[in-house]
Amino acid sequence: MTPPEHLTVRGPEDILGFIPHSLGYWPADSLVAMTMQGKRLGATLRLDLPGPETLADPKDYARTVRDYLLADQRADAALLAFFTNDGWMDPPGTYSGLLGALENVLDSAGLTVRDAWYVGDAYWRDAHCAGQDCCPSPGRPVQAILDSMLNAEMVYRGSSVGPAPAVGARPRFPVSDAERDVILASEAAWAAQLDRRRGSREQFCRLMVHWEALLANPPAEP
């Protein structure tokens, strides 16, 4: 998924908050790589994190990531996010060698890695920051990602984040072609009424102002 033209990224929480919307689910044990086109976010790629044998010599894995990202012909940089709870709390960490290999291979291909992060279930941190003064252990709470403005805007636009797909899973309730046609027609009818407002930055900002005022001054209990 490539993000809409007019999404505004204010910080890493916004970028990390966009990733689950781009994939449709919150990734786990995954490397997520995103291309950059100047200041714009580009394509999103998710791969399983490699095992110990690959981590011992991650150059081929890094080249695979590079080859996928080069499909975005306008890309000039990349962002990396390691979604894992394994071995990143105490630098250098399990994936520091993989991060170094990715940076070297992508930089050689003209895709400089501008930022990289580790994201666990409860905390996240900058992959390059080891100082306790600026990046105290265990990291920043993941709730900051969930509360990011871009995540709120994606929800406002109708995006949702579902559960991660299970390996080999099948739909519990198969949908017939006739039922699918009815569903799609209904979605199209609602979209015709709502999409113009849903895509309006002005409308979103006004909504946020009202929510902030309401939360700051909750109505008195009866």
Side-chain angles (χ1 to χ4, degrees), residues 144-220:
I145 298 173
L146 302 176
D147 292 341
S148 69
M149 187 67 75
L150 193 146
N151 182 53
E153 185 168 353
M154 291 299 295
V155 173
Y156 174 75
R157 291 170 180 268
S159 178
S160 62
V161 177
V167 177
R170 296 182 178 180
R172 293 178 60 188
F173 303 104
V175 178
S176 69
D177 290 342
E179 291 170 327
R180 184 178 295 107
D181 289 342
V182 171
I183 293 171
L184 293 176
S186 179
E187 288 180 348
W190 278 106
Q193 300 178 54
L194 299 176
D195 276 355
R196 183 174 299 178
R197 292 184 178 181
R198 182 183 293 166
S200 168
R201 169 60 58 79
E202 180 182 0
Q203 186 83 6
F204 172 71
C205 291
R206 289 182 179 181
L207 178 67
M208 294 303 294
V209 168
H210 285 294
W211 268 110
E212 289 173 358
L214 180 62
L215 294 174
N217 300 284

Side-chain angles (χ1 to χ4, degrees), residues 37-212:
Q37 301 167 358
K39 295 183 179 181
R40 290 188 61 245
L41 295 176
T44 304
L45 168 71
R46 190 212 69 84
L47 294 89
D48 291 340
L49 283 169
E53 291 185 4
T54 301
L55 288 174
D57 185 8
K59 291 189 292 294
D60 286 343
Y61 183 95
R63 294 187 188 107
T64 298
V65 175
R66 174 203 62 194
D67 292 344
Y68 278 120
L69 296 186
L70 286 176
D72 182 354
Q73 298 181 358
R74 294 189 294 174
D76 56 14
L79 303 168
L80 303 174
F82 297 79
F83 284 81
T84 176
N85 290 312
D86 182 25
W88 61 269
M89 292 291 189
D90 298 316
T94 303
Y95 297 103
S96 58
L98 175 59
L99 174 58
L102 287 164
E103 289 177 326
N104 290 335
V105 169
L106 293 176
D107 186 64
S108 297
L111 298 174
T112 301
V113 177
R114 293 185 184 171
D115 275 304
W117 305 276
Y118 294 119
V119 185
D121 289 340
Y123 298 97
W124 67 277
R125 67 181 299 166
D126 188 308
H128 295 105
C129 183
Q132 287 298 311
D133 54 340
C134 58
C135 301
S137 183
R140 302 177 186 178
V142 164
Q143 190 63 43
I145 298 173
L146 302 176
D147 292 341
S148 69
M149 187 67 75
L150 193 146
N151 182 53
E153 185 168 353
M154 291 299 295
V155 173
Y156 174 75
R157 291 170 180 268
S159 178
S160 62
V161 177
V167 177
R170 296 182 178 180
R172 293 178 60 188
F173 303 104
V175 178
S176 69
D177 290 342
E179 291 170 327
R180 184 178 295 107
D181 289 342
V182 171
I183 293 171
L184 293 176
S186 179
E187 288 180 348
W190 278 106
Q193 300 178 54
L194 299 176
D195 276 355
R196 183 174 299 178
R197 292 184 178 181
R198 182 183 293 166
S200 168
R201 169 60 58 79
E202 180 182 0
Q203 186 83 6
F204 172 71
C205 291
R206 289 182 179 181
L207 178 67
M208 294 303 294
V209 168
H210 285 294
W211 268 110
E212 289 173 358

